[in-house]
Amino acid sequence: MTEKTQPLKQKLLYLAPCILLLFSVYALLRQLFVRSTETNLPVPLFSNKMVSTYDYRVTEKKKGSICPILQAGLGNRLFQFSTSFAVARNKQMELIIPFDADIRKVFQINVTFTKSKGLCKGFRKVLDKAHATYDKSLLNFSSTDNIQLGTGLQSWKYFDMYDRQIRKQLTFRKNIQNIADQTILEILQRRNIKSRKSITMVGVHIRRGDKVGNHDGFNIATPEYLNRSVSYYANKYANVLFLVISDGMAWSKNNMPSHVPVEYISLGKREFDMASVVACDHTIMTIGTFGWWIGYLTGGEVVYVKDAAKKGSRFERILNSEDHFYPLWVGL
């Protein structure tokens, strides 16, 4: 071996262990990498493979739907909506309301809406024929059914357990509430009342219209009833102002007691009138569901006609006062 090859051989002998060490490190790292990719594979968002649905089918129940049959006046529709809302919540069903429903134009209702006119037509109808009486058996249907729920439903017992949620649903739309607030402000300014807190305001709804001379047995308000109702509040509170809305305003102006301050409101639309008296502290209602909901939404004391139905009439047969009027409301 020459002198020139001797240093080269020494260098190779020196580098060999280093090369072997590097190869061993590479092999170890490669093995660790392969294991990590095998145990931590990303989960695909979508898969074409069949997966077991056994557990899902056991734990997941089909969700049924309720479509309230919204008909007649605004007060009737509020009973139909509120009962349907509560039943849907209680049974964990979906509540479906027509996109163009009148109540949606008045209140900030937040449920499922449909533009399809025929969506609910195939649903089975469950109809309340008692109207102003609570019928628990009416709701004996499965939560997986698709139901049209309708007619009277005029009992607070259907929806009282969801009172807070319903009041939130039945918040007036801002344009309506703004008109009501402005109406109240103008009344206070006209009467030189500096503070809203310094006065007790009582909303009065006097139903006349089609109830005058009716054959269903409704006892409409009399001047004597208005006197008793006004006296109830006038004797209880120091400074009281009565705000009256009515579909018989001429009769109302002639028969409201004259010894108390009274303002008459007629804004051209029922929802404007309603929102104005709901802004009061307490309520005098006469007859009908519109006045009932004024009392409910106002949230204070409510006075109603104690003998609302004529003896032997159809209305008397379908009215259960305990089911229809709240226990704390006062019948005079």
Side-chain angles (χ1 to χ4, degrees):
M1 185 176 293
T2 65
E3 293 180 357
K4 290 182 177 181
T5 59
Q6 187 69 24
L8 179 61
K9 182 179 180 180
Q10 290 177 349
K11 290 179 180 180
L12 290 174
L13 290 173
Y14 176 79
L15 290 173
C18 296
I19 294 171
L20 182 61
L21 179 61
L22 289 171
F23 181 80
S24 299
V25 172
Y26 167 77
L28 179 61
L29 291 173
R30 186 175 185 278
Q31 188 176 12
L32 291 172
F33 176 77
V34 170
R35 286 182 179 178
S36 68
T37 56
E38 288 177 348
T39 57
N40 295 288
L41 290 172
V43 178
L45 294 177
F46 301 97
S47 173
N48 293 325
K49 294 181 180 180
M50 291 294 294
V51 294
S52 173
T53 59
Y54 176 78
D55 291 337
Y56 173 81
R57 289 174 180 174
V58 169
T59 59
E60 185 74 10
K61 293 175 66 178
K62 175 190 172 187
K63 191 176 184 180
S65 300
I66 294 180
C67 294
I69 302 174
L70 302 172
Q71 59 186 7
L74 180 59
N76 291 279
R77 295 177 189 226
L78 290 178
F79 273 114
Q80 292 151 4
F81 166 78
S82 298
T83 297
S84 298
F85 177 90
V87 174
R89 281 294 183 94
N90 188 49
K91 291 179 175 286
Q92 296 183 339
M93 300 171 72
E94 184 174 31
L95 179 64
I96 303 175
I97 301 293
F99 187 80
D100 58 352
D102 284 346
I103 58 172
R104 187 169 177 259
K105 299 172 185 177
V106 179
F107 301 100
Q108 299 182 43
I109 292 173
N110 182 24
V111 297
T112 301
F113 300 106
T114 177
K115 292 184 178 180
S116 172
K117 297 292 185 182
L119 177 64
C120 300
K121 285 186 177 179
F123 293 2
R124 179 168 67 90
K125 289 186 177 181
V126 175
L127 303 177
D128 168 38
K129 297 180 180 179
H131 294 282
T133 298
Y134 177 66
D135 180 9
K136 187 177 181 179
S137 66
L138 185 75
L139 310 179
N140 289 340
F141 52 81
S142 171
S143 61
T144 61
D145 289 346
N146 291 320
I147 297 295
Q148 291 187 76
L149 186 59
T151 67
L153 304 167
Q154 295 170 15
S155 173
W156 57 271
K157 293 182 179 180
Y158 285 119
F159 50 81
D160 186 58
M161 69 291 290
Y162 293 102
D163 177 81
R164 181 178 59 82
Q165 295 92 327
I166 288 173
R167 289 182 185 277
K168 184 176 180 180
Q169 292 286 329
L170 300 183
T171 301
F172 287 104
R173 289 196 170 274
K174 288 185 177 180
N175 65 307
I176 296 173
Q177 189 60 58
N178 289 341
I179 290 175
D181 291 343
Q182 183 61 34
T183 300
I184 298 298
L185 179 61
E186 290 174 359
I187 290 173
L188 296 179
Q189 290 175 341
R190 186 164 59 247
R191 290 183 169 269
N192 294 318
I193 299 172
K194 304 299 182 183
S195 172
R196 170 66 178 85
K197 294 180 180 180
S198 67
I199 193 165
T200 298
M201 299 180 70
V202 177
V204 184
H205 173 246
I206 301 176
R207 177 71 181 273
R208 299 283 296 171
D210 60 339
K211 298 303 182 187
V212 177
N214 75 91
H215 300 290
D216 292 322
F218 294 96
N219 277 327
I220 59 176
T222 63
E224 292 74 23
Y225 167 74
L226 293 177
N227 269 299
R228 291 196 302 272
S229 302
V230 164
S231 296
Y232 173 86
Y233 289 112
N235 293 334
K236 194 169 186 178
Y237 300 100
N239 299 310
V240 187
L241 174 62
F242 296 88
L243 273 58
V244 177
I245 64 171
S246 177
D247 58 353
M249 192 60 83
W251 184 94
S252 300
K253 288 181 178 180
N254 288 331
N255 290 279
M256 271 295 289
S258 57
H259 66 282
V260 293
V262 181
E263 291 280 347
Y264 298 92
I265 298 174
S266 182
L267 301 175
K269 289 189 175 181
R270 60 185 180 180
E271 56 266 32
F272 296 158
D273 291 348
M274 184 185 216
S276 297
V277 289
V278 165
C280 293
D281 303 297
H282 308 291
T283 304
I284 294 174
M285 63 169 288
T286 53
I287 197 70
T289 57
F290 190 76
W292 193 101
W293 281 99
I294 289 171
Y296 176 88
L297 293 174
T298 300
E301 295 184 67
V302 179
V303 170
Y304 64 91
V305 178
K306 184 178 181 180
D307 299 317
K310 294 178 181 179
K311 298 294 182 182
S313 67
R314 172 185 171 275
F315 187 42
E316 185 186 39
R317 291 193 296 272
I318 63 174
L319 171 66
N320 182 319
S321 293
E322 292 182 359
D323 291 348
H324 184 62
F325 300 109
Y326 269 98
L328 295 179
W329 290 6
V330 180
L332 294 178

